[in-house]
Amino acid sequence: MVQIFGGGATGGGDPAKKVQLAPFGSRTVSRDSPNHSVFFWCRFLAAERPAPALERASTLSARSGGNHRRRERYDGSNHTPPTARTEASVPVPSMMRPRTTPEWNAFGAATRYAQTHDLSEPAEAAYLEALDEARRDILRRLVRGVIRGDPTGLPSPELVPPVRARIADAIPDVDDVEIPWEVTRAETYGSVAVLPLPPTNKTLLGPIKTTHGFDRHRIGDDSWLVGHTRVDRIDHPVSLLDLLDRAGAFVDDGQAARFRVEVAESVANLALARLADAVLGERLDPSSPVLRRVANGNAAADRPAALERIVTDGHPFHPAGKIRKGMSAADGLAYAPEFTDRIDLRFVAIDSTVARETRSRGRKRLTDRLFETFGGLEEAASDELPPDRPIDRFAVVPVHPWQFHHTILDRYEADRRTGRVVPLSYTHPATPLLNLRTVVPHDTDRLSDDPPHIKLAIDVQTTNVVRTLSPNAVTNGPQVTDALEAIASRESFDHLGFLPETAATCYYQPGGPHTEGHHFDDARHLSGMVRMNPAHHPFVGTDAVAVPAASLIASVPGTDRPLVCDLVSEYTATDGDGPDPRSFFEAYVDVVVPEQLLLLSKYGIALESHLQNAVVVFDEARPVAALIRDFGGVRVLDDRLAPHGLDVSVDPYPNSDIDADGEKDLYGKLYYALFQNHLAELLATLAHECDMDEAAGWDAVAHTARGTFDAIRAAHDVPADRVNRDEAALFEPSMQHKALTAMRLRGKRHEYVTSRVSNPLAREDR
């Protein structure tokens, strides 16, 4: 620790009036110090300027004697993490070495990946540098979630101007404290969130650069903890979780421990993913239009899959958005889309006596669809099935290779011995997509002309949920497909398309329905589904490109520029005046909003059209259609659907969430997914990165939504009072928000925890 006595750094002066530079990430300031500016200047010189990656890594190597796997580790169980220091006790940036067990666990895999792709010298330097920004990024998500989500057990935060006196007034029980100068920069921050954590005698300061629609705060690079005698910069998100635990924010100690691990794993995985971004960027031709550049430059089974591979940062809101609980870092390199375009898709045959098979109208069963898609699969199955049982007595299920080796062989061992479950030797290369469990088969001489997307079960947790495939999804998906296709046939949508889930199968013991327990778990771990590949949808054709909406806010590999900003640059407005983000966004809204509102108001179906589930079709840089995938989160209000006499019905599997409890359930699904998640995040990106007027963007959304409701009323197909209620709910002053951070603090997975956020569509002057 560097100590400055009086006015110099070499000693002397009054020891009672000393200013100490605490290790990087914290500071201790005497209230009696006569010259705080000396402290800040010396802190800047000693700690704020990170050395180049090579110098940092060399310093680490020299300090640790070449042994980077040091014994000091922070696994989230202690309230005070260890701090790295040089031999001369000069503060060292925390990114100099891993600090949590997950960061250490990823160290070897990251080093090998960097070495293979020649990212840095020494090889580990690239990962160590990425760790610092990953910690900051996950911390920003955590602070935003705590401020925005109003978690149970914590007081509500107060947002104050970035003025020293105003911040100090909002901090309880502290009369004289040094407010960090960083949070008082009015040219950088619009406000500061002040959140007391009473039992800890600490107060969280979260500087806010700007606030986007639905109270989506853009948090500053650093957040701070203010105590009675010291101010600490939070240098790891797990450190904040320790304080939240002591403040009573968690439902119990077990959930506190789980969330610490989830956040720590997200930091490590995000840092590792940032290395992949550099590798993907090396393959792109900068002279090509951006969609062609990314689609042709990234190896993948098809163009939409290539575009999906650039989403490396995980869920944009969730502090555990990069968790892959159950997978090691090496598993991530083998199976995650940012690292590989090929995994070996496996197959398992299930005796029909323990299989549940579903399909939509007029479609083939899953087994037949697989035999049709993969040349040689049927012959391989015939050769490997028990000789006393014909092949038509079996159903075949596609299986993720991780699941095949980690779960199937052990969990179904008894069934394997009796020949009721038969793992097959046949494999086929496939590209994994963003959600890890959906894959796209590679084109080989064995593949049919229209291969589907294949959704698999994998016993790995991402965000809040383990990504197996339940009998609920197997049962409901084809039924929702029938309903949506019947509606689409009647309405002839111009811009809204669906990616039908045509067939599914799961292991299923007789005597169901199984809604919990061992039989339910057996069903969800060995299951699979096929749905239409967006590249084959009629809206796409031969010239257009289907782009996962999540890719729009992801950076083009090798740059810091979001994909959507390059699209805006290439987009030419109707009047021919050149790039115009507002005109681009208006065209986008016209494609994704009107027909989804019609589907809700007229038919009582709310799609879960958030960024990951929406695929937007572009003709050059112009949005022309929206395709919605993944029907597991759809809500259906039968009181609205049944009167249309569509000759289809949705009879969901017991304990499914698909049946809407009422109109509010519809609003909570569509209005959150489409407006709060999809459009709000896209518009925030356009405003922050592409200089778009965000208020003008919300004006465009409001104008399109109002016009849609007017058109529905004018058609006289829907009771006017119902349309009025749907419209009023969308334009309420505040809207229900799905508080993901609060959900994890309370240990919730499927049950929502909500808060209220201000609604940018509700401006009185509209």
Side-chain angles (χ1 to χ4, degrees):
M1 181 178 294
V2 176
Q3 295 183 345
I4 302 174
F5 297 91
T10 58
D14 183 358
K17 295 183 178 181
K18 66 183 180 182
V19 178
Q20 296 180 325
L21 275 185
F24 188 80
S26 64
R27 64 170 67 155
T28 302
V29 183
S30 169
R31 295 181 185 176
D32 298 324
S33 173
N35 190 352
H36 293 298
S37 64
V38 173
F39 161 74
F40 289 118
W41 177 243
C42 292
R43 181 177 185 273
F44 172 78
L45 290 177
E48 288 294 339
R49 293 185 297 175
L54 178 59
E55 180 181 339
R56 284 196 299 272
S58 299
T59 303
L60 175 64
S61 180
R63 189 172 68 249
S64 59
N67 178 16
H68 303 296
R69 195 176 179 87
R70 302 183 70 182
R71 296 180 62 186
E72 298 176 17
R73 297 189 191 174
Y74 178 48
D75 60 6
S77 60
N78 301 318
H79 293 310
T80 305
T83 305
R85 305 181 191 178
T86 63
E87 297 301 326
S89 297
V90 177
V92 177
S94 57
M95 63 181 163
M96 288 292 291
R97 65 183 179 90
R99 289 174 52 195
T100 68
T101 298
E103 290 174 7
W104 277 111
N105 289 343
F107 185 81
T111 300
R112 179 58 178 164
Y113 183 82
Q115 185 179 56
T116 300
H117 296 283
D118 195 23
L119 297 182
S120 61
E121 186 179 342
E124 67 270 15
Y127 175 63
L128 295 173
E129 184 173 8
L131 267 179
D132 182 66
E133 181 51 36
R135 291 168 183 165
R136 290 173 183 267
D137 196 315
I138 297 298
L139 177 62
R140 286 191 288 265
R141 299 184 203 185
L142 178 59
V143 171
R144 180 172 63 214
V146 170
I147 293 171
R148 191 184 186 199
D150 195 22
T152 301
L154 297 180
S156 296
E158 182 179 356
L159 270 59
V160 300
V163 177
R164 192 179 305 275
R166 293 291 302 276
I167 297 171
D169 288 345
I171 300 174
D173 304 323
V174 175
D175 298 326
D176 183 17
V177 65
E178 180 62 38
I179 303 299
W181 65 271
E182 292 93 333
V183 305
T184 62
R185 291 180 291 174
E187 72 279 7
T188 302
Y189 300 119
S191 60
V192 178
V194 181
L195 177 62
L197 304 173
T200 70
N201 295 318
K202 301 280 189 180
T203 296
L204 171 66
L205 300 184
I208 297 172
K209 293 182 178 179
T210 189
T211 297
H212 299 288
F214 297 106
D215 298 339
R216 194 274 197 200
H217 304 301
R218 191 171 293 275
I219 304 297
D221 291 339
D222 294 314
S223 293
W224 305 80
L225 289 170
V226 178
H228 287 297
T229 60
R230 59 184 289 160
V231 179
D232 297 323
R233 183 181 69 83
I234 307 172
D235 59 357
H236 202 293
V238 175
S239 301
L240 179 56
L241 291 181
D242 291 336
L243 268 294
L244 294 176
D245 186 15
R246 290 164 56 193
F250 285 96
V251 66
D252 55 41
D253 291 342
Q255 183 55 27
R258 282 188 290 272
F259 198 32
R260 283 189 186 97
V261 172
E262 292 172 7
V263 168
E265 286 188 6
S266 285
V267 169
N269 287 338
L270 180 58
L272 192 53
R274 294 279 167 82
L275 305 187
D277 180 76
V279 175
L280 293 173
E282 293 173 352
R283 305 167 183 166
L284 306 189
D285 176 8
S287 64
S288 300
V290 67
L291 294 183
R292 189 183 309 164
R293 185 191 327 158
V294 176
N296 296 342
N298 279 342
D302 59 20
R303 293 196 295 178
L307 286 155
E308 193 154 342
R309 289 191 64 204
I310 73 172
V311 185
T312 58
D313 280 7
H315 196 294
F317 308 146
H318 204 302
K322 283 298 289 185
I323 184 178
R324 291 174 181 141
K325 191 173 183 180
M327 275 191 171
S328 66
D331 289 336
L333 293 182
Y335 301 121
E338 60 262 39
F339 300 112
T340 184
D341 72 299
R342 285 175 179 256
I343 65 173
D344 291 322
L345 181 63
R346 304 300 301 255
F347 299 87
V348 171
I350 308 172
D351 192 293
S352 59
T353 60
V354 286
R356 182 181 184 89
E357 299 181 87
T358 64
R359 53 180 164 159
S360 59
R361 288 187 175 183
R363 272 29 184 263
K364 297 178 180 179
R365 61 195 283 257
L366 176 62
T367 301
D368 295 332
R369 183 72 169 98
L370 295 175
F371 287 164
E372 175 184 86
T373 300
F374 299 101
L377 175 59
E378 184 173 6
E379 291 76 12
S382 296
D383 291 343
E384 297 175 28
L385 293 176
D388 59 334
R389 280 172 268 184
I391 191 171
D392 58 7
R393 182 175 161 177
F394 283 84
V396 175
V397 174
V399 176
H400 193 283
W402 187 96
Q403 187 80 349
F404 185 90
H405 292 290
H406 286 78
T407 302
I408 301 300
L409 299 181
D410 291 333
R411 186 176 191 96
Y412 305 94
E413 182 179 5
D415 287 296
R416 289 197 296 118
R417 288 198 302 266
T418 62
R420 296 199 302 177
V421 170
V422 182
L424 304 177
S425 61
Y426 185 99
T427 65
H428 191 92
T431 297
L433 298 183
L434 175 60
N435 70 359
L436 205 63
R437 62 177 172 177
T438 301
V439 301
V440 188
H442 268 274
D443 187 13
T444 71
D445 56 6
R446 302 187 306 181
L447 194 69
S448 67
D449 292 335
D450 60 340
H453 278 195
I454 302 177
K455 191 172 183 177
L456 312 170
I458 185 168
D459 192 19
V460 172
Q461 179 185 334
T462 62
T463 61
N464 291 358
V465 181
V466 176
R467 301 299 169 171
T468 51
L469 191 63
S470 70
N472 309 60
V474 167
T475 302
N476 300 341
Q479 294 187 64
V480 174
T481 291
D482 288 337
L484 291 175
E485 290 187 329
I487 294 169
S489 177
R490 176 176 293 189
E491 293 292 338
S492 299
F493 291 129
D494 294 323
H495 303 293
L496 178 62
F498 311 108
L499 299 177
E501 298 174 349
T502 57
T505 298
C506 66
Y507 178 96
Y508 202 78
Q509 286 282 2
H514 309 302
T515 58
E516 59 183 1
H518 184 73
H519 288 334
F520 177 78
D521 289 339
D522 282 344
R524 68 187 179 93
H525 280 91
L526 181 50
S527 51
M529 173 186 289
V530 291
R531 70 171 178 235
M532 177 183 284
N533 185 326
H536 303 146
H537 194 280
F539 280 157
V540 178
T542 57
D543 297 326
V545 180
V547 182
S551 302
L552 296 173
I553 65 170
S555 295
V556 176
T559 77
D560 292 327
R561 185 172 169 84
L563 176 67
V564 68
C565 292
D566 277 1
L567 280 173
V568 167
S569 296
E570 296 172 9
Y571 176 84
T572 301
T574 305
D575 57 15
D577 286 342
D580 177 3
R582 177 170 180 171
S583 179
F584 172 90
F585 186 69
E586 288 173 348
Y588 191 96
V589 170
D590 286 343
V591 163
V592 302
V593 169
E595 288 165 341
Q596 291 198 62
L597 290 180
L598 174 65
L599 189 65
L600 178 142
S601 198
K602 186 173 181 178
Y603 293 96
I605 296 181
L607 301 174
E608 192 175 27
S609 52
H610 54 59
L611 288 166
Q612 185 173 317
N613 284 354
V615 180
V616 182
V617 182
F618 285 87
D619 182 1
E620 299 296 338
R622 181 176 295 277
V624 295
L627 310 176
I628 308 303
R629 63 187 180 187
D630 198 343
F631 302 151
V634 165
R635 295 292 183 271
V636 178
L637 186 59
D638 193 58
D639 288 348
R640 293 190 179 187
L641 180 63
H644 290 282
L646 292 174
D647 193 30
V648 296
S649 62
V650 179
D651 182 19
Y653 192 84
N655 285 7
S656 295
D657 294 325
I658 192 170
D659 278 334
D661 292 333
E663 292 176 347
K664 288 185 177 180
D665 207 8
L666 295 181
Y667 307 150
K669 178 59 61 175
L670 180 66
Y671 293 177
Y672 172 79
L674 177 57
F675 294 94
Q676 289 193 50
N677 179 300
H678 186 152
L679 292 177
E681 191 64 14
L682 180 64
L683 186 50
T685 300
L686 287 168
H688 185 68
E689 303 284 355
C690 310
D691 298 323
M692 180 176 170
D693 180 353
E694 185 171 355
W698 288 117
D699 286 343
V701 176
H703 176 77
T704 298
R706 294 283 193 196
T708 299
F709 286 121
D710 287 343
I712 296 172
R713 273 188 291 263
H716 302 294
D717 292 332
V718 183
D721 59 339
R722 180 202 297 179
V723 182
N724 294 341
R725 292 194 302 273
D726 296 345
E727 183 176 21
L730 182 59
F731 288 89
E732 286 183 354
S734 66
M735 194 176 285
Q736 184 171 279
H737 165 67
K738 183 179 175 182
L740 296 170
T741 299
M743 287 175 66
R744 296 313 294 140
L745 294 174
R746 308 313 295 173
K748 304 294 185 181
R749 295 185 183 274
H750 299 285
E751 311 96 318
Y752 290 167
V753 174
T754 62
S755 61
R756 302 294 296 187
V757 293
S758 58
N759 184 357
L761 297 172
R763 268 178 37 193
E764 294 181 359
D765 57 347
R766 286 202 180 98

